[in-house]
Amino acid sequence: MHRIRIQTWYEKYKTGLFRYALTLVKKPETAEDVLQEVFLRLLSGRYSPEPGKEQAYLYRMARNLCFDHLRRQKRLDQEPPQIPWEQSQYAYIELISTLDSREQEVVTLKIVGGLTHREIAKVLGLTEHAAKKRYERAIQKL
């Protein structure tokens, strides 16, 4: 009975849920993934809407999944570039030479040292916010 109900909801709401997800994530393949995840979660049995309130429940679940995806994507976009040290350390030095010395220091501490913004702030005597902003500006320049 549970699967039949979920299948009925899928047929009834799939188009609207897909379009809603697409408006949030802007990519059809991601919107499709969100739609599938909504119904996979329902099939797992861990999630269950109140009777008669399934539409709002499904849209809320899709919304949360879209925002989860967007947060993950933002984190990935902010990760420091991977520099192939074994190929050429000089390429890194040449790359950061376009930055002023304070920016070079922040970028090197983050990328080479793997320090967090809080740790960088302690090393340089800055606030965490200042260290983060300095790093972000330096990466933008690069």
Side-chain angles (χ1 to χ4, degrees):
M1 179 67 174
H2 182 68
R3 287 181 185 266
I4 294 171
R5 191 169 10 138
I6 292 172
Q7 184 177 0
T8 303
W9 293 341
Y10 178 79
E11 292 304 321
K12 187 174 182 179
Y13 299 116
K14 69 179 177 184
T15 303
L17 285 168
F18 173 79
R19 289 179 182 162
Y20 178 65
L22 184 59
T23 353
L24 296 175
V25 297
K26 311 291 188 230
K27 294 181 181 174
E29 59 277 1
T30 305
E32 185 65 37
D33 290 346
V34 166
L35 178 65
Q36 288 177 15
E37 183 63 25
V38 165
F39 286 95
L40 284 172
R41 286 183 177 196
L42 288 173
L43 285 170
S44 76
R46 294 183 322 206
Y47 302 89
S48 181
E50 291 180 37
K53 297 185 179 182
E54 70 274 352
Q55 183 177 17
Y57 187 88
L58 295 173
Y59 275 88
R60 185 172 52 250
M61 188 184 290
R63 180 178 188 266
N64 291 341
L65 289 167
C66 287
F67 287 147
D68 288 347
H69 168 78
L70 292 171
R71 277 190 292 276
R72 276 192 308 277
Q73 190 60 47
K74 185 176 179 183
R75 267 195 308 273
L76 290 175
D77 292 345
Q78 291 178 347
E79 285 184 3
Q82 297 299 314
I83 298 175
W85 288 101
E86 56 283 345
Q87 289 179 8
S88 173
Q89 293 182 10
Y90 296 106
Y92 173 75
I93 300 300
E94 187 177 331
L95 176 68
I96 68 167
S97 68
T98 59
L99 303 173
D100 69 38
S101 61
R102 293 179 310 163
E103 293 167 333
Q104 289 178 18
E105 193 173 13
V106 169
V107 169
T108 301
L109 288 170
K110 181 75 173 160
I111 294 175
V112 178
L115 275 67
T116 65
H117 293 297
R118 176 174 284 146
E119 294 166 332
I120 292 170
K122 287 179 182 175
V123 169
L124 300 179
L126 302 169
T127 66
E128 184 177 351
H129 179 73
K132 183 177 180 182
K133 284 299 175 191
R134 191 175 289 177
Y135 174 75
E136 288 172 354
R137 282 190 214 110
I139 293 299
Q140 287 295 323
K141 284 184 183 179
L142 292 176

